[in-house]
Amino acid sequence: MNPGCVTGVVLAGGKSARMGTDKASLMVDGRQMIVYAVDALREVFPDVVVVTKGPSNLQIVGARTAWDCIDGNGPLVGIYTALSVCETPYCFVVACDMPFANPALIEWMVSACDAQDVFVPRIGSYLEPLFALYSKQCAAPIRECLVRGDYRVSSLFAHVKVGYADETEIRTIDPELRSFTNINTREDLRYLLKQKPS
């Protein structure tokens, strides 16, 4: 697939309950944490969208902002919003607290996606649904999940065509799987400040 067929999306509408404050706006090496995810997507895609619950104090250059278009909590609402506002057949979704997202891995996933509705990394027995491709074909099934009150991203997978990015292939690009590091707690943040995204 060509990257021009994909909109980069950063989900920034979470409650950040374990952190106790908005994770996206936390400062890391002089920049808000979300900027690292935005910059990684901008290296691959011409259009990047940040999805939030509503107005925020995020300072983002090179990305447009969309607010969740329906009520509800969780990333599935944000993915639905992204698919509703993007003009491309696919979105590549990254969480705002994944500052080590590797543009080369993102680019490989786009090229490896073979017309699946979802293309998601599988690391061991775990999936990484917040570092994945979603097609416009997912919008209607997602809405059905949300109407039922089912906000789990995994609930979508039974209703669409899913492909899995192989861990072996992923490790050829990102050997330590740093792309999937997310920051949920103050301890995670201390680790991040020691590592500092590049």
Side-chain angles (χ1 to χ4, degrees):
M1 189 192 315
N2 187 303
C5 297
V6 184
T7 299
V9 173
V10 181
L11 299 183
K15 293 182 177 180
S16 304
R18 283 186 282 173
M19 183 65 73
T21 188
D22 177 31
K23 289 187 288 187
S25 60
L26 286 171
M27 299 304 292
V28 178
D29 203 20
R31 299 196 295 168
Q32 291 182 324
M33 183 159 58
I34 192 174
V35 173
Y36 293 99
V38 170
D39 285 353
L41 292 173
R42 287 182 62 209
E43 286 193 36
V44 183
F45 307 118
D47 187 25
V48 176
V49 177
V50 174
V51 178
T52 68
K53 292 294 290 182
S56 72
N57 64 347
L58 296 175
Q59 301 165 9
I60 304 163
V61 176
R64 54 194 178 99
T65 303
W67 298 351
D68 282 343
C69 60
I70 58 175
D71 291 333
N73 294 310
L76 199 57
V77 174
I79 294 169
Y80 180 78
T81 297
L83 293 171
S84 300
V85 302
C86 76
E87 299 176 358
T88 54
Y90 282 82
C91 289
F92 193 101
V93 170
V94 174
C96 69
D97 64 348
M98 300 175 82
F100 298 109
N102 185 324
L105 179 57
I106 295 169
E107 195 166 18
W108 172 79
M109 285 185 61
V110 170
S111 68
C113 181
D114 186 21
Q116 294 98 344
D117 297 317
V118 177
F119 191 57
V120 59
R122 181 163 51 194
I123 309 299
S125 61
Y126 295 96
L127 301 181
E128 296 286 349
L130 300 188
F131 192 96
L133 278 155
Y134 294 86
S135 82
K136 285 269 198 178
Q137 299 301 317
C138 294
I142 290 175
R143 185 164 185 88
E144 291 172 7
C145 289
L146 297 176
V147 167
R148 292 195 305 269
D150 189 347
Y151 295 96
R152 298 169 299 170
V153 178
S154 59
S155 297
L156 166 68
F157 295 171
H159 306 285
V160 295
K161 183 180 178 183
V162 181
Y164 300 97
D166 180 70
E167 179 178 351
T168 302
E169 293 287 345
I170 290 170
R171 285 186 182 275
T172 65
I173 302 167
D174 188 350
E176 298 178 359
L177 305 177
R178 280 166 54 89
S179 292
F180 309 113
T181 301
N182 63 329
I183 309 301
N184 288 315
T185 65
R186 293 288 177 180
E187 183 177 333
D188 293 339
L189 182 60
R190 285 192 289 271
Y191 167 81
L192 170 61
L193 291 171
K194 289 179 181 178
Q195 299 294 314
K196 289 187 181 177
S198 56

